[in-house]
Amino acid sequence: MIRRRQHEEWMRRALAVASTSPEDVPVGAVILGPDGAELAAAGNERELTGDPTGHAEVLAIRRAAARRGEWRLEGCTLVVTLEPCTMCAGALVLARISTVVFGAWEPKTGAVGSLWDVVRDSRLNHRPEVYAGVLEPECAALMRDFFR
């Protein structure tokens, strides 16, 4: 119960971050350190930067790694409003993110259980713990409203 409340609190922060990029698909990502302190946050910046890798998760991972001064983000939690795609799922595995918390499922491109399940692939050397569907109605509504 306590964990669920913490995940919801963090997801509210990710939802707020998602709302900061009105020109791009509204996805927000927040990375918390092992102590629960926020290390980095990002929204999608593909349209802003013209960079196809400018997904919220990738940007948050880059910023968290820069802040920690190392690429290994062991003990960290990634909270994101939308199920990560294959690129982002691969990045979070390679960064050694320990926990992934996401809101809305993405049946077209999701790689944390929907279309693929990259993060639980037993052939990989790192498999984060996953909590799915946190504040799912709010996260899904953000996507529906954007694509209307």
Side-chain angles (χ1 to χ4, degrees):
M1 185 60 127
I2 292 171
R3 182 179 294 174
R4 183 70 175 184
R5 276 186 277 171
Q6 183 65 72
H7 290 172
E8 289 176 356
E9 180 182 321
W10 290 339
M11 188 60 73
R12 285 186 189 86
R13 170 69 176 125
L15 281 162
V17 171
S19 302
T20 64
S21 301
E23 67 281 342
D24 212 324
V25 177
V27 176
V30 179
I31 295 184
L32 297 305
D35 62 355
E38 185 174 314
L39 292 175
N44 275 348
E45 294 183 7
R46 294 173 309 164
E47 297 298 331
L48 177 68
T49 63
D51 178 358
T53 68
H55 289 207
E57 301 95 310
V58 170
L59 297 172
I61 289 168
R62 288 176 185 161
R63 292 171 187 166
R67 183 159 180 198
R68 286 188 82 180
E70 64 174 317
W71 63 267
R72 288 177 190 87
L73 298 177
E74 293 166 321
C76 293
T77 299
L78 168 68
V79 180
V80 61
T81 56
L82 186 66
E83 179 184 3
C85 69
T86 53
M87 175 182 68
C88 295
L92 69 90
V93 167
L94 292 173
R96 311 292 196 274
I97 296 280
S98 295
T99 305
V100 177
V101 177
F102 73 87
W105 291 92
E106 175 45 279
K108 293 181 182 179
T109 63
V112 185
S114 287
L115 190 57
W116 296 286
D117 202 349
V118 171
V119 301
R120 292 184 193 96
D121 190 319
S122 62
R123 296 168 293 182
L124 299 176
N125 65 335
H126 178 74
R127 286 178 295 285
E129 191 172 8
V130 176
Y131 296 90
V134 176
L135 298 183
E136 183 175 8
E138 294 92 326
C139 294
L142 192 62
M143 298 303 290
R144 272 193 314 276
D145 292 347
F146 180 80
F147 286 107
R148 279 190 187 167

